[in-house]
């Protein structure tokens, strides 16, 4: 697109795919928040031409663009590495012109874990585009070594105006790794979808109306892979059934990350349902649940935790990443240690299945904790800082709308 002055602020959201995993959900909600502050959001998808384009997505983003370039790959092939993370070949020697042509007209561009796209951010910055890096977690190798988009962002730190971590913990980590504090703007995660408060209220009322002797309803909602602890989930399901605990299980999800996929255990397959993405379907799933289980090996600030709390479902999660930023153990949820995740999760389910008063107390506190968390508020500091940068740049150009 040409740079045509129109008096508006245009921001691009740069993604490798749109399958409505956590990163894409954050992109959608951050776009919604910035849109509420007067920005015009556009989506750019670089590594997939088969995307889940929902009405909600189309309603938030002004435009959605797909890169048709078989030479682009977000990862792999590079001859160099940075602190153990490979610098993708495309970032250093790829045909970057088509992507620059897609993005050069924007006021700002936010990278959402798009791998090699980090390699063009310096060129965009020299063109006057404000560049941001939205980061969500450190990936881990099978041996537990941190790698991935966080380290690739550090390699190209000079090319970004701002780093936008999803949690204060990750913001502190970035600063400890040398990113200047004034380049770090935390936008703490909120729930990954919008739902009317009255819908949530009806779900909570229906849960309270159930007979306390009914089975405790337990939900897992997410990817079926090693990171999310699908093998741990299978162990908990198996052991709970062997003990005859008064539980009813549902698992909603599928494998998205091929490199981290595991064969679906039989215990999980027996209660497995297709994933849902529509807000009303997600809300119905959380309303069904008394408890939501998330036994991840590593995390950022999981949307599942926040969505469960908003719905009044009690979250049982491993104490990983920044989960403890929003969950107070024993008060607004239950945190279990990574090394004993399955055993401690099972013990928590035993207690909650028998003690429905404790279940209700945690549910009420979790719901209350999430009442004032919304993306418009979360993105306000980012909108102000970015707007100041863009306005300053336009003023230097003589008052023109062109950057």
């Amino acid at each position: 697109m040409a740079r045509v002055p129109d008096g508006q602020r245009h921001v691009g959201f740069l993604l490798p795919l749109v399958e409505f995993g956590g990163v894409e959900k954050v992109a959608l909600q951050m776009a919604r928040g910035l849109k509420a502050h007067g920005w015009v959001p556009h989506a750019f998808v670089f590594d997939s031409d088969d995307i889940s384009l929902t009405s909600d997505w189309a309603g938030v983003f002004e435009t959605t663009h797909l890169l048709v370039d078989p030479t682009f790959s977000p990862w792999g092939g590079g001859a160099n590495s940075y602190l153990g993370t490979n610098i993708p070949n495309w970032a250093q020697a790829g045909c970057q012109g088509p992507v620059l042509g897609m993005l050069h007209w924007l006021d700002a561009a936010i990278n959402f874990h798009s791998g090699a796209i980090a390699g063009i951010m310096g060129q965009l910055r020299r063109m006057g585009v404000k560049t941001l890096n939205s980061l969500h977690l450190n990936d881990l190798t099978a041996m537990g070594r941190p790698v991935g988009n966080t380290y690739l962002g550090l390699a190209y730190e000079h090319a970004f105006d701002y780093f936008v971590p999803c949690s204060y913990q990750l913001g502190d980590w970035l600063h400890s790794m040398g990113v200047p504090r004034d380049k770090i703007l935390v936008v703490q995660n909120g729930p990954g979808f919008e739902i009317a408060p009255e819908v949530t209220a009806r779900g909570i009322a229906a849960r309270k109306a159930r007979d306390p002797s009914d089975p405790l309803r337990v939900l897992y909602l997410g990817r079926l892979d090693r990171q999310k602890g699908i093998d741990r989930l299978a162990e908990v399901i198996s052991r709970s059934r062997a003990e005859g605990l008064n539980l009813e299980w549902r698992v909603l999800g599928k494998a998205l990350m091929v490199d981290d996929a595991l064969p679906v255990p039989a215990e999980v397959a027996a209660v497995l349902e297709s994933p849902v993405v529509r807000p009303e379907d997600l809300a119905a799933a959380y309303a069904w649940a008394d408890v939501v289980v998330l036994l991840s090996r590593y995390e950022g600030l999981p949307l599942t935790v926040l969505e469960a709390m908003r719905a009044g479902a009690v979250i049982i999660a491993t104490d990983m990443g920044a989960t403890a930023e929003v969950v107070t153990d024993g008060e607004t949820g239950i945190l279990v240690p990574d090394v004993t995740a399955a055993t401690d999760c099972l013990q928590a389910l035993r207690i909650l299945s028998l003690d429905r008063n404790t279940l209700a107390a945690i549910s009420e506190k979790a719901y209350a904790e999430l009442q004032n968390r919304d993306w418009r508020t979360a993105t306000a500091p980012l909108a102000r800082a970015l707007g100041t940068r863009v306005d300053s740049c336009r003023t230097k150009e003589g008052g023109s709308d062109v950057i």
Side-chain angles (χ1 to χ4, degrees):
M1 293 185 177
R3 289 189 175 189
V4 179
D6 62 1
Q8 300 188 86
R9 296 169 174 170
H10 295 272
V11 56
F13 288 74
L14 318 185
L15 295 146
L17 50 78
V18 179
E19 289 288 348
F20 286 95
V23 174
E24 301 101 282
K25 287 182 179 180
V26 171
L28 175 63
Q29 296 305 323
M30 192 181 295
R32 193 191 304 276
L34 288 178
K35 188 173 184 177
H37 292 291
W39 288 79
V40 181
H42 304 266
F44 297 84
V45 185
F46 298 114
D47 195 39
S48 176
D49 58 5
D50 182 11
I51 67 174
S52 301
L53 187 62
T54 65
S55 58
D56 196 28
W57 183 274
V60 170
F61 288 104
E62 186 75 10
T63 60
T64 295
H65 309 256
L66 307 180
L67 175 67
V68 182
D69 183 355
T71 69
F72 175 79
S73 177
W75 290 101
N80 302 303
S81 65
Y82 184 82
L83 297 178
T85 289
N86 181 256
I87 306 298
N89 180 66
W90 190 92
Q92 301 175 85
C95 182
Q96 300 174 349
V99 177
L100 292 169
M102 295 172 72
L103 304 175
H104 76 101
W105 59 279
L106 295 165
D107 293 291
I110 310 178
N111 179 35
F112 280 81
H113 282 203
S114 292
I117 292 297
I120 67 163
M121 302 307 274
Q123 295 178 72
L124 286 176
R125 195 179 187 195
R126 288 193 294 273
M127 293 175 179
V129 181
K130 303 308 166 193
T131 55
L132 300 89
N133 200 19
S134 176
L135 294 173
H136 303 265
L137 78 167
N138 279 315
D139 291 316
L140 297 181
T141 68
M143 299 300 293
R145 181 175 183 172
V147 292
N149 285 284
T150 47
Y151 283 88
L152 190 59
L154 294 176
Y156 288 95
E157 182 267 325
H158 60 283
F160 290 102
D161 290 290
Y162 290 114
F163 283 73
V164 188
C166 73
S167 67
Y168 292 101
Q169 181 198 63
L170 187 52
D172 290 342
W173 180 86
L174 286 167
H175 185 50
S176 75
M177 295 296 286
V179 179
R181 180 64 72 180
D182 60 4
K183 289 182 68 170
I184 300 170
L185 287 173
V186 175
V187 177
Q188 196 182 39
N189 276 354
F193 65 93
E194 299 292 299
I195 198 70
E198 56 268 24
V199 173
T200 300
R202 287 197 297 270
I204 291 174
R207 185 187 293 117
K208 288 180 177 179
R210 293 205 297 267
D211 192 310
S213 65
D214 288 345
L216 187 75
R217 294 177 171 180
V218 188
L219 173 71
Y220 170 81
L221 192 156
R223 298 196 315 269
L224 307 181
D225 57 32
R226 183 179 180 279
Q227 181 212 331
K228 295 296 183 181
I230 197 65
D231 53 326
R232 296 170 167 180
L233 178 66
E235 180 183 347
V236 175
I237 293 174
S238 176
R239 291 172 62 182
S240 69
R241 286 182 168 166
E243 287 189 27
L245 296 184
N246 189 25
L247 309 179
E248 181 180 355
W249 286 92
R250 289 179 70 188
V251 175
L252 280 67
K254 66 177 182 179
L256 292 179
M257 301 175 68
V258 175
D259 292 342
D260 203 26
L262 295 172
V264 178
E267 298 86 352
V268 172
V271 291
L272 180 60
E273 303 173 32
S274 298
V276 294
V277 297
R278 296 192 311 162
E280 55 268 33
D281 295 332
L282 288 163
Y286 285 117
W288 174 88
D290 296 304
V291 174
V292 175
V293 171
L294 183 65
L295 302 180
S296 303
R297 286 182 165 84
Y298 56 96
E299 277 292 356
L301 181 52
L303 301 184
T304 300
V305 169
L306 298 156
E307 292 162 2
M309 293 173 67
R310 180 179 62 181
V314 174
I315 186 73
I316 301 176
T318 42
D319 188 5
M320 301 300 291
T323 302
E325 279 189 15
V326 294
V327 176
T328 302
D329 185 33
E331 295 186 20
T332 60
I334 297 173
L335 299 176
V336 297
D338 180 53
V339 293
T340 56
T343 297
D344 285 11
C345 175
L346 188 65
Q347 174 63 9
L349 290 172
R350 287 192 197 101
I351 293 170
L352 295 177
S353 66
L354 296 172
D355 186 354
R356 300 301 172 94
N357 290 330
T358 295
L359 178 75
I362 297 175
S363 169
E364 290 176 5
K365 289 180 181 178
Y367 172 75
E369 181 71 22
L370 264 287
Q371 290 315 290
N372 296 319
R373 186 181 293 266
D374 66 84
W375 285 93
R376 182 188 176 102
T377 302
T379 55
L382 174 62
R384 285 194 299 270
L386 199 51
T388 299
R389 284 285 189 102
V390 169
D391 289 347
S392 174
C393 192
R394 287 178 175 179
T395 299
K396 290 178 182 178
E397 293 290 337
S400 169
D401 280 326
V402 180
I403 306 174

